[in-house]
Amino acid sequence: MQIILLGKPGAGKGTQAERLAQEAQVAHIATGDMFRAAVRDGTELGKLAQSYMERGALVPDDVTIGLMRERLAQEDAGKGFVLDGFPRNEPQAQALQGLLQELGRPIQAAVELEVPDEEILRRITGRRVCPQCGATYHVEFQPPKVPGICDRCGHELTQREDEKEETVRKRLEVYRQHATELARFYEARGVYHRLSGLGSEEEVLVRIRHLLQTLGVWAQ
Ligand code: ADP
Ligand code: AMP
């Protein structure tokens, strides 16, 4: 299975990608998570990425595409993947086509999760992440068993720097600049689908699963 989840920051891409990848036994590849890991590790890539991320801007394409090239070459990606947060613009989508052609694994579906801005702001300001293992939570909708502690690895949860309302608005603006070109790109290749991202996490998951089964992308 090779699919892409598209949508605004906070649309639920990471939440759904993680569950889909687990169920389908494929890799969950999220450039945002990879950049955050690099920031945490203090690498050169992390230092560069951080200067863009804290402003809500996109990390330059050559850097992001290079990162994705390396990630797709790893063994687990050979079984398939759910991409989350990549591609974010047409040059990245073009580059991805090239990389996948080399691997002989075309994108089967690019699914956009649609969520209005008011709901996005509500979701993002309540989001908490585990800096250790990357698990995500929401104080209201998906709280951890013990407040502030990761269910999975026991580490203390944190709030992302780029989740202040002002930065979120900037990220929404950046998203809007490229949303149409990405939709057109995948529409032209016959793999673009739009679904409502509203409702519970489970409801959205059922919706995506149903679409993928209808398309014959997912056999389960
Ligand atoms: P993205 O990866 O698209 O930026 P996330 O998956 O990280 O979005 O979700 C953003 C926040 O919204 C998280 O705190 C998550 O727990 C919460 N969330 C995700 N899906 C839903 C949903 N269907 N209903 C309510 N909250 C959700
Ligand atoms: P995300 O977690 O996907 O919302 O990404 C957080 C931040 O990481 C974004 O605001 C960008 O600064 C950066 N980022 C993640 N993915 C990409 C990408 N594909 N291209 C450029 N920047 C990205």
Side-chain angles (χ1 to χ4, degrees):
M1 181 166 98
Q2 295 92 243
I3 66 165
I4 302 172
L5 294 186
L6 298 171
K8 295 171 186 171
K13 301 181 296 297
T15 304
Q16 299 299 330
E18 192 180 324
R19 297 184 63 175
L20 286 167
Q22 200 170 17
E23 288 188 21
Q25 298 273 295
V26 296
H28 169 201
I29 302 181
T31 38
D33 289 349
M34 293 161 78
F35 285 134
R36 278 184 290 278
V39 170
R40 211 167 49 232
D41 294 345
T43 63
E44 284 306 310
L45 171 70
K47 284 178 204 150
L48 180 102
Q50 188 171 23
S51 62
Y52 293 91
M53 292 168 84
E54 62 195 14
R55 287 186 279 127
L58 293 183
V59 176
D61 287 343
D62 55 342
V63 175
T64 309
I65 291 165
L67 184 74
M68 191 48 101
R69 180 181 293 117
E70 284 176 23
R71 182 63 187 88
L72 286 174
Q74 286 173 18
E75 203 184 329
D76 65 334
K79 284 188 279 177
F81 47 76
V82 181
L83 298 188
D84 148 22
F86 183 95
R88 277 238 196 355
N89 56 25
E90 193 173 342
Q92 292 184 9
Q94 288 284 9
L96 179 64
Q97 292 294 109
L99 294 174
L100 296 181
Q101 207 160 6
E102 284 169 27
L103 298 172
R105 287 192 160 269
I107 292 298
Q108 297 161 306
V111 182
E112 174 146 3
L113 298 177
E114 280 192 302
V115 177
D117 284 6
E118 314 85 75
E119 173 70 11
I120 292 288
L121 287 165
R122 202 155 70 102
R123 285 185 185 183
I124 290 193
T125 49
R127 175 155 67 180
R128 298 294 179 271
V129 295
C130 175
Q132 182 76 31
C133 74
T136 63
Y137 300 88
H138 192 282
V139 290
E140 193 185 337
F141 310 122
Q142 198 209 337
K145 292 196 186 84
V146 180
I149 301 293
C150 181
D151 291 347
R152 211 202 272 168
C153 74
H155 199 280
E156 202 172 321
L157 301 178
T158 55
Q159 186 169 26
R160 274 168 46 180
E161 279 297 317
D162 62 352
E163 295 187 335
K164 289 176 291 184
E165 179 163 342
E166 194 191 316
T167 317
V168 174
R169 289 198 184 278
K170 166 71 182 162
R171 289 166 65 202
L172 284 169
E173 191 190 308
V174 170
Y175 166 81
R176 258 187 279 280
Q177 282 167 8
H178 302 288
T180 312
E181 74 194 40
L182 273 182
R184 289 213 181 107
F185 185 91
Y186 288 110
E187 237 159 24
R189 285 155 184 82
V191 293
Y192 180 75
H193 304 273
R194 197 178 279 154
L195 289 179
S196 167
L198 291 176
S200 70
E201 291 179 7
E202 188 60 34
E203 281 165 343
V204 179
L205 182 67
V206 167
R207 224 172 269 151
I208 302 173
R209 216 195 265 131
H210 180 257
L211 170 71
L212 297 177
Q213 285 165 345
T214 307
L215 295 172
V217 170
W218 193 359
Q220 273 177 41

